[in-house]
Amino acid sequence: QVQLVESGGGLVQPGGSLRLSCEVSGYITDYYSIGWFRQDPGKEREGVSWIRSSGHNPWYSDSVKGRFTISRGYAKNAVFLQMDGLKPEDTAVYFCAAKSTYGPSSQPADYDLWGRGTPVTVSS
């Protein structure tokens, strides 16, 4: 069974950096895209960034554009989210998810397979 496993979350001061990893136990190319989402308690899950399984055409939400970078690892079956210039409002549980159907989307409902999440806390 294909699984997604996130890692790399933690506590960081404002302005700091973290690198999240999403390891896919199956083949990334079986999916159209891999996305990163985040959710704060009491809020809806929101799309942060996604990338096609080919590694091209990344998308970013306006709130993270210019600070976060998504990339695909080729040596490893993984997708990474480099988060720089972190702000307190970036605090959330971050999830990676895979979308098997064709077509770009940042909507959580369009993604089929989810990891369990990794918490990120930005605080001084």
Side-chain angles (χ1 to χ4, degrees):
Q1 185 176 359
V2 177
Q3 290 185 323
L4 305 179
V5 180
E6 305 95 334
S7 62
L11 173 64
V12 64
Q13 292 188 343
S17 298
L18 284 173
R19 186 175 189 238
L20 304 184
S21 298
C22 173
E23 294 205 26
V24 182
S25 62
Y27 293 100
I28 284 183
T29 50
D30 286 347
Y31 297 93
Y32 175 82
S33 62
I34 304 292
W36 283 99
F37 298 80
R38 65 187 182 188
Q39 187 169 22
D40 222 4
K43 295 184 180 179
E44 291 189 355
R45 192 168 295 188
E46 64 169 344
V48 173
S49 178
W50 62 264
I51 191 168
R52 295 188 186 189
S53 59
S54 63
H56 299 133
N57 302 107
W59 171 89
Y60 301 95
S61 69
D62 288 342
S63 61
V64 307
K65 198 174 295 181
R67 300 187 297 121
F68 290 11
T69 304
I70 192 170
S71 61
R72 185 193 154 180
Y74 289 92
K76 297 181 71 173
N77 221 22
V79 172
F80 306 101
L81 186 69
Q82 177 66 39
M83 307 189 296
D84 299 316
L86 283 161
K87 305 175 181 180
E89 51 263 43
D90 294 318
T91 295
V93 178
Y94 283 70
F95 300 87
C96 70
K99 184 177 184 293
S100 59
T101 55
Y102 181 84
S105 176
S106 60
Q107 298 302 311
D110 292 333
Y111 284 72
D112 312 290
L113 186 66
W114 289 83
R116 296 192 173 195
T118 184
V120 171
T121 303
V122 185
S123 175
S124 54

